[in-house]
Amino acid sequence: SILVGIANVDRRRDFTFPSRILEDIKEFPTTGGSEKFIRFLEKELQPFIEKKYKTTGSKMLIGQSLGGLLATEILFKKPQLFTSYVIVSPSLWWDNESLLKLNPALLNENYNQQTKIYIGVGEEGKVMEEDAKYLFELINNAGRKNLTVKFDFITGKSHANIFHQAVSNAFEIWGEKR
């Protein structure tokens, strides 16, 4: 495995798409740069890794909170960028849940890549829990044979301490070597 961690100076900028909610724009003025960040992943980072290292084509994206929002955005808009997605406590409430109202590219007829999707959430309140469950149902109910999707509600964990357990569970569910 090749593990790539990206140091980040403004996660709100890089992990969010533009919001139409005036309160969000006012409170978080640097948000809305995810398109540029996704382009960096696609056009610069992934080609660099593939050129410098021996790769297999298997690519996993792990994101929690705003990182889970970004992972969901990539899954919906450019699902071919990764073969596995670990989405933990995604902040799908962003921009009045507008991401959940899109027609995800991974559900289009012409998307045939085998893709694994793990969605984990803890005891994090009604909005976080319901949004994560809705994301799972949206993908799972499509009945696409090329998509393996798992939902994991982790009791006893909150937004602040769910990450390690969720990632471990995802690897265990998929039988990945640790």
Side-chain angles (χ1 to χ4, degrees), residues 152-170:
D152 193 9
F153 181 77
I154 304 174
T155 58
K157 296 293 181 183
S158 70
H159 198 72
N161 65 5
I162 188 174
F163 182 76
H164 294 97
Q165 185 65 57
V167 172
S168 179
N169 289 359

Side-chain angles (χ1 to χ4, degrees), residues 1-14:
S1 294
I2 301 168
L3 177 64
V4 178
I6 302 171
N8 189 283
V9 296
D10 189 348
R11 66 186 189 82
R12 286 189 177 121
R13 177 194 65 206
D14 294 336

Side-chain angles (χ1 to χ4, degrees), residues 7-137:
N8 189 283
V9 296
D10 189 348
R11 66 186 189 82
R12 286 189 177 121
R13 177 194 65 206
D14 294 336
F15 296 174
T16 61
F17 48 88
S19 177
R20 294 167 291 188
I21 310 300
L22 293 178
E23 185 178 308
D24 290 345
I25 296 166
K26 184 178 178 183
E27 189 173 344
F28 309 111
T30 64
T31 59
S34 64
E35 184 178 332
K36 185 176 180 183
F37 190 73
I38 294 167
R39 191 170 44 252
F40 160 75
L41 294 174
E42 178 182 23
K43 304 291 184 187
E44 294 181 47
L45 185 60
Q46 286 186 347
F48 172 80
I49 292 168
E50 290 167 4
K51 183 177 178 183
K52 186 159 177 77
Y53 301 100
K54 183 178 178 182
T55 61
T56 64
S58 176
K59 300 173 190 168
M60 178 184 290
L61 177 62
I62 302 173
Q64 192 249 350
S65 193
L66 286 179
L69 175 70
L70 177 71
T72 304
E73 181 180 1
I74 294 170
L75 179 66
F76 276 25
K77 295 179 179 178
K78 292 187 171 260
Q80 71 282 357
L81 290 183
F82 297 91
T83 56
S84 301
Y85 291 82
V86 177
I87 300 171
V88 182
S89 303
S91 295
L92 298 170
W93 52 264
W94 179 253
D95 190 37
N96 201 25
E97 301 171 327
S98 66
L99 190 59
L100 293 174
K101 297 169 185 146
L102 294 180
N103 181 20
L106 80 152
L107 300 183
N108 292 342
E109 287 180 16
N110 59 351
Y111 181 73
N112 295 312
Q113 175 181 288
Q114 292 296 318
T115 305
K116 297 179 194 175
I117 305 149
Y118 167 94
I119 302 161
V121 68
E123 297 173 356
E124 304 180 53
K126 185 177 180 180
V127 172
M128 294 291 283
E129 294 168 25
E130 287 182 0
D131 284 353
K133 183 70 171 172
Y134 180 81
L135 174 62
F136 165 74
E137 290 170 351

